[in-house]
């Protein structure tokens, strides 16, 4: 092989009351019920340390298995059983939309890294009886680490950090912003490299450097894939702020990032970007300054003896780590002028390091080839994530185009041409950038390779995960790339196949460029997760050539750029357990008052003799914004089929924005299968909870919205007066209580519950000071709730009082 190539399902409609309602409810797609992973936080750790992590999932039940694959990386907790509480910045309430939305959950686990664990990536995934997920990266670094602690969303609460460091954070709320405070010396080059898209994070990062007053400072900015890199050179020594946010108005636990903040110069590129195996070569390293200039540093590099990529670490530590290419053929550097009038002559085989030095630069090469000779020409940006997007064109000696290839059209960003020569003649090769006429410069570096085309092949699949249910089949499409005129059949072998699984067919026919294999699971195939290696072998030139199938993992940005390779050589197969229950409800519209808890009738259909306990909760995936609605968790006892799901409709719902609420519930259960293995399964309701809202029947109103007080001391009491604004529909008693917003609140205040009797409208609740409020409690907002019952439904109303205290 050349060294240059490296559901839409519509749910039914219940009984509804008019043609208008039928049309509004029809055609809503049911969310996917397949489990998925969303993130891990922190997204990495320093080798030689142990770190508590939170694993993000959707539609994954408690008890799911966690897997970690990587040298020197170990799991302490391999079952996700303890759900982590939400401790990020809350999202602000806003008018709801009818755009599908997800609510990831997080689970506790722990990872240890050996002191000599290889720097780079370990891969993690989850699996349960409902299915498995694709792999995501967990990064292994060698810098000290900081894990964000909320709240650091204003400059005065910025977390103090010290360079060099790797910062781990989450943009958890829709308006969440993270601040960090660091010291830098005048003239010092501070490099801030963000890692988000390249690990599959949902975050589109917006990163800035501020002074302590909050003023944004000038920095030089570059990109590595979709991730920004800032270089900052302060004019004065002192403390500065790193500000991290999301470009769009969204945020969730899955919006994770890692930022490496160092004083090591950032190497934007090296030219040439590689060399011949075993040879010495002079390279120019271009580092980005805080003024936006590219500074040049020369180094003489001895390249390793084997082709591939290697990380060059400068022995003088005057440069950051740089990825360089090692080739097996002669390496040359383009020299100007190499225009159409005066192309640079090259021979076979050759690797050329070139660059489009300005927007109008295009490079021409000439090569004389023999009759009937077949050549392979490749061209790609020197590094994944670099700004270059080469376009490769082959012409005859007169400049007539014969064929071309564009990196922008290829998943691996590589141009590839194979050409069968018709006569002994001269050919021309042109390299220009896709952005010709608009973009160019010292960073637009490419590697051009030309060599005899050797018969060979590559095998790829679009995802590294495949789920097949007991007693069913699942397709897996394998794509074939053929080189050097190879058209023969390819035999497939599946290493690590579990019992009870068959695959057909196992041969890629002659000339075929894809094959759909069917994985079949017997009814009694053990439900578990397995890692397979798929190997393709073919007879080429009387020799057996083998290649492993490469599969795409989830740690890539939108351009397919990853921290390391965007593929792995394993397929993760999960044998799903056949369903043990289904969850249903009526899709007829129900009516409920805002500020009430509505008992929605639900049903469990138990299958295959399953009689265990079932937990019901809010669905992780919704067709539209829930607008603050909460589904209260319910336990369905063994043997029971019918139950009610309490759905709380807050009084703060935005009326007249959504015509109705269309909610999805989910339910999970654990059991022991026929092989005495513990299993956990989660299912999504097959129909929606359809609710229309009615006006409130009562409103709790604080008579004093803000209480101005002097300095509070332990034992003081504060009278909080309230009014119930009743309607004639509700005259019953209500229980009035204080709702703590945080553990800190509970440590400072306490309050006894009181009852406002039936027919009465005023009540007073006494709040007691347990200890002197801290400095940050100069102003604090306390929340109060009134709860009653109307026709067996709960009625709830809330209001707040702001306590303003002296220092």
């Amino acid at each position: 092989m050349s060294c240059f190539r490296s559901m839409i399902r519509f749910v039914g409609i219940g009984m509804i009351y008019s043609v208008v309602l039928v049309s509004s409810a029809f055609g809503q797609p049911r969310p996917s019920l397949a489990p998925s992973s969303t993130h891990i936080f922190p997204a990495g750790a320093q080798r030689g340390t142990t770190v508590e992590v939170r694993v993000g999932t959707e539609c994954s039940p408690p008890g799911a298995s966690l897997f970690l694959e990587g040298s020197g990386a170990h799991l302490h907790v391999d079952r996700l059983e303890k759900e982590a509480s939400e401790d990020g910045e809350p999202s602000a309430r806003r008018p709801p939309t009818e755009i599908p939305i997800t609510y990831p959950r997080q689970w506790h686990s722990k990872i240890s890294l050996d002191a000599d664990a290889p720097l780079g990536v370990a891969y993690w995934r989850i699996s349960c009886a409902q299915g498995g997920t694709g792999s995501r990266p967990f990064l292994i670094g060698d810098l000290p680490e900081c894990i964000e602690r909320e709240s650091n969303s204003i400059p005065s609460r910025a977390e103090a950090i010290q360079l060099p460091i790797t910062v781990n954070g989450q943009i958890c709320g829709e308006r969440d912003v993270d601040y960090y405070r660091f010291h830098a010396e005048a003239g010092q080059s501070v490099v801030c490299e963000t890692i988000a898209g390249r690990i599959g994070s949902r975050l589109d990062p917006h990163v800035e450097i501020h002074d302590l007053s909050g003023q944004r400072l000038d920095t030089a900015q570059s990109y590595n894939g979709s991730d920004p890199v800032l270089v900052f050179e302060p004019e004065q020594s002192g403390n500065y702020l790193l500000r991290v946010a999301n470009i769009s108005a969204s945020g969730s636990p899955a919006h994770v990032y890692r930022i490496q903040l160092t004083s090591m110069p950032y190497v934007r590129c090296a030219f040439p970007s590689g060399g011949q195996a075993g040879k010495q070569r002079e390279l120019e390293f271009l580092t980005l300054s805080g003024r936006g200039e590219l500074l040049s540093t020369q180094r003489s590099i001895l390249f390793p003896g084997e082709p591939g990529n290697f990380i060059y670490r400068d022995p003088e530590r005057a440069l950051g780590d740089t990825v360089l290419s090692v080739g097996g053929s002669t390496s040359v550097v383009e020299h100007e002028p190499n225009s159409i009038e005066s192309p640079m002559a090259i021979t076979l085989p050759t690797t050329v390091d070139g660059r489009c030095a300005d927007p109008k630069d295009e490079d021409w090469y000439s090569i004389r080839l023999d009759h009937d000779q077949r050549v392979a020409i490749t061209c790609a940006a020197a590094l994944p994530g670099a700004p270059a997007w080469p376009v490769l064109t082959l012409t005859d000696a007169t400049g007539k185009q014969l064929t071309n290839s564009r990196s922008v059209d290829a998943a691996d960003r590589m141009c590839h041409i194979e050409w069968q020569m018709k006569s002994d003649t001269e050919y021309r090769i042109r390299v220009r950038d896709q952005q010709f006429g608009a973009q160019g410069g010292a960073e637009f570096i490419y590697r051009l390779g030309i060599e005899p085309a050797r018969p060979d092949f590559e095998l790829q699949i679009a995802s590294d995960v495949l789920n097949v249910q007991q007693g069913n089949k699942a397709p897996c499409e394998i794509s074939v790339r053929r080189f050097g005129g190879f058209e023969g059949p390819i035999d497939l072998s599946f290493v690590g196949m579990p019992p009870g699984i068959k695959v057909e067919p196992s041969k890629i026919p002659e000339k075929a460029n894809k094959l759909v294999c069917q994985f079949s699971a017997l009814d009694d195939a053990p439900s578990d997760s397995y890692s397979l290696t798929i190997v393709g072998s073919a007879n080429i030139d009387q020799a057996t050539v083998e290649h492993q199938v490469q599969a795409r993992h989830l740690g890539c940005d939108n351009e397919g750029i990853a921290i390391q390779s965007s593929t792995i050589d394993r397929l993760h197969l999960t044998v799903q357990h056949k369903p043990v229950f289904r969850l249903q409800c009526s899709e007829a519209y129900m009516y409920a008052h805002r500020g009430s808890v509505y008992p929605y009738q639900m049903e469990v259909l138990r299958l295959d003799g399953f009689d265990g306990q079932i937990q019901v909760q809010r669905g992780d995936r919704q067709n539209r914004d829930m607008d603050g609605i909460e589904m209260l968790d319910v336990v369905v006892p063994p043997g029971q089929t019918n139950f009610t799901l309490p759905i709380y409709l807050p009084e703060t719902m935005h009326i007249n924005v959504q015509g109705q609420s269309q909610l999805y519930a989910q339910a999970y259960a654990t059991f022991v299968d026929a092989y005495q293995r513990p299993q956990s399964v989660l299912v999504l309701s097959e129909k929606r909870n359809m609710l229309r809202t009615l006006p409130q029947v009562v409103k709790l109103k604080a008579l004093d919205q803000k209480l101005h007080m002097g300095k509070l001391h332990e034992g003081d009491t504060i009278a909080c007066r309230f009014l119930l604004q009743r309607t004639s529909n509700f005259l019953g008693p209500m229980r009035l209580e204080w709702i703590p917003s945080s553990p800190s609140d509970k440590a400072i205040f306490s309050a006894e519950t009181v009852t406002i009797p039936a027919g009465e409208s005023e009540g007073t609740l006494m709040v007691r000071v347990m200890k002197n409020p801290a400095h940050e409690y100069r102003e604090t907002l306390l929340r109060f709730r009134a709860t009653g019952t109307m026709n067996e439904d709960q009625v709830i109303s809330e209001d707040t009082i702001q306590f303003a205290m002296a220092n």
Side-chain angles (χ1 to χ4, degrees), residues 4 272-276 281 308 324-327 331-332 351-354 378-382 390 445-449:
F4 307 117
S273 59
Q276 188 174 356
R281 196 178 206 185
L324 299 175
S325 299
V326 185
S331 292
V332 299
T351 301
V352 181
D353 288 279
T378 59
C379 189
I445 299 173
Y446 62 84
R447 297 206 92 199
L448 170 69

Side-chain angles (χ1 to χ4, degrees), residues 234-251:
E235 296 180 357
Q236 298 179 345
S237 299
N239 290 328
Y240 296 89
L241 297 175
L242 169 66
R243 182 184 186 273
V244 187
N246 192 23
I247 289 178
S248 61
S250 60

Side-chain angles (χ1 to χ4, degrees), residues 163 182-191 209-211 217-220 231-241 262-263 289-291:
L163 276 59
F182 65 93
H183 180 84
E185 295 294 328
Q188 179 184 20
S189 181
V190 178
V191 176
I209 304 295
H210 289 191
D211 62 21
L217 301 177
D218 291 335
T219 60
V231 179
F232 168 57
E233 292 182 4
E235 296 180 357
Q236 298 179 345
S237 299
N239 290 328
Y240 296 89
L241 297 175
T262 72
S263 57
S289 76
R291 298 176 300 278

Side-chain angles (χ1 to χ4, degrees), residues 679-708:
Q679 300 285 359
S680 56
V681 64
L682 181 145
V683 302
L684 186 70
S685 174
E686 297 174 14
K687 295 185 178 181
R688 296 164 290 179
N689 302 114
M690 307 286 283
L691 287 170
R692 285 186 176 275
T693 57
L694 298 171
Q696 294 172 256
V697 295
V698 64
K699 171 61 183 168
L700 180 69
K701 184 75 174 177
L703 291 176
D704 305 295
Q705 294 290 311
K706 187 171 185 177
L707 290 175
H708 295 273

Side-chain angles (χ1 to χ4, degrees), residues 264-265 297-300 312-320:
M264 187 71 65
T297 301
Q298 303 288 328
R299 288 288 186 271
S300 180
Y312 171 70
R313 176 163 288 183
D314 183 23
E316 299 179 22
R317 303 304 289 158
L319 299 169

